[in-house]
Amino acid sequence: MTGISTQMKSEAMEMHGHSPGVVLRSLVIGLTAYLTVVDLFATQAILPSLTRYYNVTPAAMGFAVNASTMGMAVAGLVVGFLSPHIDRRFGILLSLVLLAIPTALLASAPDLTVFTILRIAQGLCMASAFALTLAYLGEQCNQMDAGGAFAAYITGNVASNLIGRLVSAAVVDTLGLASNFYFFALLNLAGAVLVYFTIQRVKPMHAMPTVQSPFAATLDHWRNPALRSAFAIGFCILFAFIGTFTFVNFVLVRAPLSLGRMDLGFVYFVFAPSVVTTLFAGKAVARFGTRPAIWGALAVAALGLPLLLSSHLPEVLTGMVLVGVGTFFAQACATGFVGQAASDNRGIASGTYLACYFLGGLVGSAVLGQLFDRLGWTACVAGVGVSLAIAALLTARLALTRSAGSPA
């Protein structure tokens, strides 16, 4: 899940003509997305193993693993500000090569502090590479190709949640914790090789001349009530997503469910339905409007929360499916709204949304981790529910002004 997809989509829809190699380009988009952000959530599948290895509480380990979102929040802002001046190909290559360094060093992290710092470094590199990749695609894809590019992005993003967790669990179960991080470092380098041979060197498309500084543009976005609400909704969405899919791992390995490491990896096929449902987010917004689409998605996620408290695995898995489908769908709708509501400086608006989104993940891992440690899984799920409820209330404020476009 990431908050910059709509910048790519909205910019692409403004282009004209038809670019060749659509199938190959879609494959490259999906693979690049997968190889770039696969580190973000794959480590969640081995949280119980890491907790035992470092001999810490679930809350402490959950915060350390999700510290990558701190780096992604910072990188989202920086890349949003500097994107018009960065060479796309060089920036993506450098980010992916550098990403392999902290990933490999995680194999020998001596304590939780070093582990956390390395995860932050991973987040910086991941967000930089992904933001620049989508900026490149937004500039190169034309109107006819935009839908396929967006679909490929969503597929690669969801696949990183699904396959990354499965692979991580399999590698740890077979070769151990250290080998897991070396393996994922190789995946990062494979992403760099893919980019080297597939992305052309092109000059970034500079934004329209403006007298506003990035700081002034950011302040203008925050003064817009609808954008401000969208930023907060992004915060709440990842707050809920991280809280659910971080700490449910500890529930799954404990009695009465008592799943093994490989079983825990296979559990994350719960993300497979999201590959299909998220692709309909754009159509849902076009037919029903932004607010009803987000309300519906949040309601689906909320329906899954009571099932997460069950002692029966099928019900828990169903709850995970519903939360995944609802949060991914709401995320796609919210990012689409940001692209429409920001009439100027859309790159900065997308970067600000991305920063708020990933900050929500970091805060969610900290706050819900404490609830999980002190009060248990039921309190953690209740915290997720509160976050979804706040997002639903904020959705009522998502209305476009006349200067930004037609009503949502």
Side-chain angles (χ1 to χ4, degrees):
M1 298 179 68
T2 181
I4 48 184
S5 58
T6 300
Q7 181 185 0
M8 177 270 287
K9 185 182 178 184
S10 61
E11 291 174 348
M13 292 295 288
E14 295 171 1
M15 305 291 284
H16 299 282
H18 183 72
S19 61
V22 174
V23 175
L24 178 60
R25 187 218 57 219
S26 297
L27 179 62
V28 170
I29 295 171
L31 283 176
T32 303
Y34 171 79
L35 294 171
T36 301
V37 299
V38 68
D39 302 276
L40 181 59
F41 294 118
T43 313
Q44 289 185 347
I46 57 172
L47 265 172
S49 299
L50 288 169
T51 302
R52 290 191 296 269
Y53 180 81
Y54 286 104
N55 193 27
V56 294
T57 64
M61 197 68 244
F63 181 84
V65 164
N66 292 314
S68 55
T69 58
M70 183 187 301
M72 298 193 82
V74 173
L77 285 175
V78 173
V79 173
F81 285 4
L82 302 180
S83 177
H85 310 289
I86 299 175
D87 180 274
R88 305 299 190 226
R89 185 172 185 268
F90 177 77
I92 298 166
L93 279 172
L94 182 62
S95 297
L96 289 174
V97 171
L98 291 178
L99 174 59
I101 297 174
T103 303
L105 290 176
L106 282 168
S108 55
D111 53 49
L112 198 61
T113 300
V114 175
F115 186 98
T116 303
I117 293 172
L118 292 173
R119 285 291 286 174
I120 293 173
Q122 279 187 305
L124 287 168
C125 297
M126 280 187 282
S128 298
F130 207 59
L132 291 173
T133 300
L134 291 178
Y136 172 86
L137 294 171
E139 295 162 359
Q140 300 305 310
C141 293
N142 57 46
Q143 182 179 8
M144 294 182 67
D145 294 343
F150 186 53
Y153 153 68
I154 290 291
T155 303
N157 187 19
V158 177
S160 70
N161 282 272
L162 168 59
I163 302 175
R165 285 178 166 96
L166 179 61
V167 169
S168 183
V171 172
V172 170
D173 194 52
T174 306
L175 302 174
L177 276 173
S179 298
N180 171 75
F181 295 111
Y182 291 134
F183 179 81
F184 277 88
L186 291 176
L187 289 182
N188 301 146
L189 294 176
V193 172
L194 177 66
V195 168
Y196 180 83
F197 286 106
T198 57
I199 289 186
Q200 301 174 357
R201 179 181 293 276
V202 293
K203 292 183 179 180
M205 286 184 168
H206 291 266
M208 294 295 292
T210 176
V211 297
Q212 275 191 316
S213 67
F215 181 73
T218 302
L219 289 180
D220 278 351
H221 291 324
W222 278 104
R223 293 189 186 104
N224 183 327
L227 274 177
R228 193 164 59 240
S229 297
F231 297 155
I233 290 169
F235 180 99
C236 292
I237 289 173
L238 198 60
F239 185 103
F241 181 87
I242 287 284
T244 301
F245 291 100
T246 294
F247 301 104
V248 73
N249 293 283
F250 298 101
V251 175
L252 292 171
V253 298
R254 294 175 180 173
L257 300 177
S258 304
L259 298 183
R261 273 196 295 258
M262 273 308 300
D263 294 330
L264 190 61
F266 283 113
V267 157
Y268 286 97
F269 275 104
V270 295
F271 288 121
S274 300
V275 176
V276 178
T277 57
T278 307
L279 296 177
F280 292 95
K283 292 182 179 180
V285 170
R287 181 171 182 178
F288 303 108
T290 298
R291 287 176 289 186
I294 295 180
W295 278 326
L298 295 174
V300 169
L303 288 174
L305 297 184
L307 298 175
L308 296 177
L309 302 176
S310 174
S311 58
H312 302 289
L313 183 60
E315 294 179 10
V316 174
L317 295 180
T318 301
M320 294 172 69
V321 168
L322 293 175
V323 173
V325 166
T327 51
F328 272 111
F329 199 95
Q331 165 68 351
C333 297
T335 54
F337 179 84
V338 171
Q340 293 176 327
S343 56
D344 298 306
N345 299 293
R346 290 181 177 177
I348 294 176
S350 295
T352 304
Y353 178 87
L354 182 66
C356 294
Y357 176 72
F358 284 111
L359 181 62
L362 184 67
V363 175
S365 65
V367 172
L368 297 177
Q370 290 301 313
L371 288 176
F372 183 81
D373 275 356
R374 298 172 185 274
L375 301 175
W377 177 231
T378 301
C380 182
V381 172
V384 172
V386 171
S387 179
L388 295 177
I390 293 174
L393 292 174
L394 290 167
T395 301
R397 304 182 65 185
L398 298 186
L400 297 177
T401 61
R402 289 186 179 182
S403 60
S406 57

